[in-house]
Amino acid sequence: MDTDTSVNSVVRLDADNARKWWKPEKNAIRAALKEHYGRDIAPDVLPPPPDPAALRARLSEDAPRLTALTGRIRQAFDIDQACAVLIPKVGLGGLGLDDRRRGIFALAVLLGDPTATIPFDHVLWDVRNQGEAGSGHTSFSENDRKADYHTDNGTLPIPENYFLLYAVRAAECGGGVSLLRDGRTVKKQFEETPEGRAAVRLLSAATVPRKVPLAFRKYGDVSSEGIQLAPVFGDKPMVRWRKGGIRRGILASPEYDTPGMRQAVDMMTDMLQDGPGEIQLTIPTDGLLVINNHIALHGRTAFTDPARHLFRLRFHEPEH
């Protein structure tokens, strides 16, 4: 495997000859999952592992080459301080869809503790355009429209540290390009001017209001009116952002609706949309992108290819 750290804070890993070892390790992965859950559960509805540390230990023994790959991913985050890791070809392309789901799930378990996709119970989510059936849905995972910069699961007191995207089939229309910004870079750019430093002070206060959708309110500290107060720039996570929710929160919270707050939110929006340092990359078919959700903001360009299909999965840093 070669590491390329030249593209800002994205590390690229090339998993050589991966296809040769996924095939023999897939049976061990399936057996480990069946024993852990007590039955053979369809991989698209797997709930979070009852004991992720135990399952991680079992997979470490039974899938050594997958474990080696996840060790390199972990090093890229822990030592290289990456905001994301891209593996252009994981080697799952020759396997059936369910085996690919199990492989990506096992990879996530070796990296951390997978969580359910709120408000559902299963861990792995299929990212596909739902067409007319999904035309009224606001989730980026179910439409083909542009996804503005955001971080995932900001309603939680501490959102998942990481999430991954695996491309079952990349869009062949030229769209669906992943957009990344390193939050550390964004904050540093703000601090280069007096106006930016003032914006950072306001956005670092624990009084930035955000309107939370009804389905997610029970998962965080949210008022009866659906308002959550949390900083955009903090410690854990370093950045928490969803433009639409914050703008709606300001409109619904006169006490926080100040010219300074509006200016700070506008500056953040403009910085993400037009500022320097944007990372654009396409996850190729059989490619994997792992993102540090605590320091990176992500988005996506629109696409038209109806066959585009990704897996998404979120996970916490494992407890040691």
Side-chain angles (χ1 to χ4, degrees):
M1 299 179 192
D2 296 325
T3 302
D4 178 5
T5 58
S6 62
V7 186
N8 293 324
S9 49
V10 174
V11 169
R12 172 187 168 124
L13 299 178
D14 291 320
D16 296 331
N17 299 320
R19 185 174 294 183
K20 293 182 179 179
W21 53 264
W22 271 107
K23 191 172 183 179
E25 289 195 357
K26 71 175 184 178
N27 293 331
I29 290 170
R30 180 169 185 166
L33 295 182
K34 183 175 182 180
E35 180 177 315
H36 188 76
Y37 286 98
R39 63 189 191 282
D40 200 358
I41 304 175
D44 59 335
V45 293
L46 278 169
D51 187 346
L55 181 55
R56 191 157 40 248
R58 169 73 182 272
L59 290 169
S60 296
E61 293 182 2
D62 294 353
R65 295 186 180 179
L66 176 59
T67 301
L69 176 60
T70 56
R72 290 294 300 114
I73 296 172
R74 174 58 58 200
Q75 178 180 318
F77 286 116
D78 293 346
I79 298 177
D80 300 333
Q81 296 296 299
C83 76
V85 173
L86 174 68
I87 304 176
K89 187 168 289 295
V90 179
L92 289 170
L95 303 182
L97 203 57
D98 279 353
D99 279 325
R100 281 186 272 179
R101 288 190 173 102
R102 292 187 188 96
I104 292 301
F105 178 83
L107 181 147
V109 171
L110 285 165
L111 288 171
D113 299 344
T115 59
T117 299
I118 294 173
F120 305 100
D121 294 330
H122 55 270
V123 168
L124 190 144
W125 185 264
D126 285 273
V127 179
R128 286 187 282 210
N129 180 28
Q130 299 297 318
E132 292 299 321
S135 59
H137 200 288
T138 58
S139 170
F140 303 132
S141 297
E142 296 192 348
N143 62 53
D144 56 7
R145 298 187 290 274
K146 176 185 177 182
D148 289 329
Y149 275 108
H150 62 284
T151 57
D152 273 15
N153 257 7
T155 305
L156 299 178
I158 301 180
E160 290 91 344
N161 300 82
Y162 300 94
F163 75 96
L164 61 78
L165 295 170
Y166 169 78
V168 178
R169 185 186 183 280
E172 296 183 357
C173 60
V177 177
S178 293
L179 308 174
L180 292 173
R181 287 192 181 274
D182 190 320
R184 298 165 296 191
T185 301
V186 171
K187 188 176 181 181
K188 183 177 180 180
Q189 290 167 343
F190 265 113
E191 291 172 341
E192 292 175 353
T193 66
E195 297 81 8
R197 290 191 290 272
V200 167
R201 284 194 294 272
L202 278 174
L203 296 177
S204 299
T207 51
V208 180
R210 175 184 175 192
K211 187 80 170 180
V212 176
L214 183 62
F216 298 88
R217 292 178 186 175
K218 66 180 180 179
Y219 300 101
D221 186 8
V222 181
S223 73
S224 57
E225 292 79 24
I227 300 297
Q228 178 192 53
L229 299 177
V232 171
F233 294 116
D235 294 323
K236 192 174 182 180
M238 180 260 157
V239 62
R240 184 194 306 253
W241 175 259
R242 194 165 290 254
K243 178 185 69 175
I246 292 175
R247 291 195 182 278
R248 288 190 293 272
I250 291 173
L251 288 173
S253 309
E255 64 273 35
Y256 303 111
D257 186 1
T258 65
M261 180 64 74
R262 284 179 175 265
Q263 182 179 15
V265 172
D266 287 345
M267 288 180 67
M268 181 73 170
T269 301
D270 292 344
M271 177 73 76
L272 296 177
Q273 181 173 317
D274 300 316
E278 180 175 78
I279 303 165
Q280 299 184 8
L281 55 87
T282 299
I283 311 172
T285 296
D286 193 40
L288 177 74
L289 180 65
V290 187
I291 297 175
N292 185 328
N293 187 50
H294 281 198
I295 64 172
L297 302 103
H298 65 282
R300 183 198 68 213
T301 65
F303 62 95
T304 58
D305 186 350
R308 180 181 185 267
H309 182 192
L310 277 67
F311 296 154
R312 187 196 70 197
L313 192 153
R314 300 183 182 119
F315 55 97
H316 281 292
E317 190 90 43
E319 295 184 6
H320 298 290

